[in-house]
Amino acid sequence: MTLLSRSLFALCALTATTALSAPLETIEAINKPYPNWVTLDASIEAVKAATVSAQTSGRIVKLNYDVNDVVPEGAALLEITSKEQGAELASYEADLAKATALNVEAQAQFKRYKELFPQGAISKGAMDEATANAKAAEQAVSAAKARVIKATESLKYTVVSAPFSGVVTARMVELGETVSVGQPLLSGFSPSQMRAITQVPQRYIEQLKNAPEFIVRLSDGRELTSKDLTIFSFADPVSHSYQVRINLPKDSPNLQPGTWAKAAFQNGAREKIQLPVSALITMNELSSVYLKKGEQFVLTQVRVSEPLDGEVEVLAGLKSGDVVAKDAYQVLLSQKQ
């Protein structure tokens, strides 16, 4: 009979006992106070994520980046036709030059009239007209300057720049497509700063506020600790839970938005029995340990939690003070010998 067959036979016969000639290492099951961890589902997202939109209308003449491209801050993402915006700027600059010339003339005439008016050479009506013309010409220059500034900005909008360095995640337009003001163009995120988002049930929120610390476990096994939290001050009306943003350390590479993680925080402490995974024999959903009774080991079924850091919590089947074999499969090996 093979070792695997003997193991299966032993799991089926839970009342079977094994007497061993050589002593095996044992461990005592004792109720000890352990931190009570609350584990929640979380998702990773970027702190800096944005969708750039068109701020002027025109046809796309150049696309410099696509999905998955790394873009430096201020780089030109795409370019839009600028003939119309350039012509408008030239027209407004001409209007500004004309308004400036008229203002110079109006101010000179107002200065002359102001010197002649006390001498009685200029009537009151002519003086009032010169004053009004000077003020109107001055305001016309201000209006012309404003139009030039607006046209200049509109011309700059034909080159869409990256607001920050990051990775392009979506492109919503094609080369040669005509876009309008407000139309989304490209989306991206910055990998330099990431955070985890989770929903904390209402009953835990006060404890979390008193001890704001999370351990975020990633899918690749990494664990990141963070005390930099943002706890929303209002609850979701449907789930009655609070959203919490967990800012992760900046030196955490290879974090991707949209991936799942586990976020755990400590909620007081409670007494429980912890055993190493090596003390268990498992088959499908059946778990057992070798309980020492006198000089013999009795295979005893137990109910345990999911393994964490190489240990499991015994939920049922043992009491404080019981002694079990530390390596259950060593007992099977000794039985075979």
Side-chain angles (χ1 to χ4, degrees):
M1 182 180 294
T2 64
L3 179 59
L4 177 59
S5 300
R6 295 176 67 89
S7 300
L8 296 177
F9 176 78
L11 287 172
C12 295
L14 294 180
T15 58
T17 61
T18 304
L20 302 174
S21 58
L24 294 174
E25 187 176 1
T26 60
I27 184 172
E28 185 177 1
I30 301 178
N31 265 326
K32 294 181 180 179
Y34 288 90
N36 186 30
W37 291 94
V38 178
T39 302
L40 305 170
D41 289 330
S43 60
I44 305 299
E45 73 172 26
V47 175
K48 287 184 178 181
T51 297
V52 293
S53 301
Q55 294 178 275
T56 186
S57 59
R59 182 171 54 84
I60 297 176
V61 294
K62 186 180 291 186
L63 275 172
N64 298 324
Y65 294 94
D66 204 346
V67 176
N68 286 338
D69 289 343
V70 179
V71 181
E73 182 178 357
L77 298 173
L78 57 84
E79 296 181 18
I80 302 173
T81 52
S82 59
K83 290 183 178 180
E84 181 180 351
Q85 291 81 358
E88 187 178 47
L89 176 59
S91 175
Y92 287 148
E93 287 177 341
D95 291 342
L96 175 59
K98 180 180 178 181
T100 302
L102 293 176
N103 181 51
V104 171
E105 181 183 357
Q107 298 303 326
Q109 185 178 18
F110 171 71
K111 185 177 180 180
R112 289 195 302 269
Y113 280 23
K114 189 176 181 181
E115 294 175 352
L116 295 175
F117 181 70
Q119 303 174 9
I122 301 299
S123 63
K124 183 67 167 59
M127 185 62 202
D128 293 341
E129 182 180 359
T131 303
N133 290 339
K135 291 182 179 179
E138 188 176 1
Q139 295 301 317
V141 171
S142 298
K145 287 181 179 179
R147 288 192 293 269
V148 169
I149 294 174
K150 181 180 179 181
T152 302
E153 291 299 313
S154 182
L155 183 60
K156 290 180 181 179
Y157 294 154
T158 58
V159 178
V160 180
S161 302
F164 49 79
S165 59
V167 181
V168 179
T169 58
R171 176 170 60 86
M172 287 77 82
V173 291
E174 298 291 340
L175 185 65
E177 182 177 344
T178 300
V179 296
S180 57
V181 178
Q183 182 175 342
L185 303 174
L186 295 165
S187 295
F189 73 93
S190 172
S192 62
Q193 179 65 63
M194 309 295 284
R195 64 190 177 197
I197 305 297
T198 187
Q199 300 289 335
V200 178
Q202 181 179 351
R203 62 183 179 274
Y204 299 127
I205 202 65
E206 289 301 323
Q207 172 64 27
L208 183 60
K209 290 180 179 179
N210 294 332
E213 182 176 2
F214 265 97
I215 295 178
V216 179
R217 297 184 177 91
L218 306 177
S219 58
D220 57 5
R222 285 182 294 166
E223 292 188 355
L224 305 176
T225 302
S226 175
K227 295 183 179 180
D228 186 5
L229 310 180
T230 301
I231 303 174
F232 283 30
S233 59
F234 54 89
D236 184 89
V238 177
S239 63
H240 308 292
S241 60
Y242 290 78
Q243 181 170 309
V244 178
R245 291 175 175 173
I246 309 166
N247 292 320
L248 302 178
K250 291 185 177 181
D251 56 349
S252 305
N254 301 325
L255 294 179
Q256 297 298 325
T259 57
W260 286 102
K262 292 292 184 179
F265 66 93
Q266 187 174 342
N267 182 39
R270 63 185 177 90
E271 290 191 348
K272 58 182 179 179
I273 297 176
Q274 294 264 115
L275 290 179
V277 176
S278 61
L280 295 178
I281 290 181
T282 59
M283 185 182 69
N284 296 331
E285 297 181 358
L286 182 64
S287 299
S288 304
V289 297
Y290 274 106
L291 177 63
K292 187 174 183 181
K293 290 188 175 181
E295 298 300 322
Q296 296 179 330
F297 285 92
V298 178
L299 195 62
T300 304
Q301 184 178 356
V302 293
R303 184 162 60 90
V304 297
S305 65
E306 290 293 327
L308 180 63
D309 296 333
E311 292 188 338
V312 294
E313 177 186 357
V314 179
L315 304 176
L318 292 178
K319 64 181 184 297
S320 183
D322 287 342
V323 178
V324 299
K326 188 174 183 179
D327 190 342
Y329 285 94
Q330 188 66 33
V331 178
L332 286 178
L333 183 61
S334 298
Q335 179 186 16
K336 179 181 179 181
Q337 293 174 349

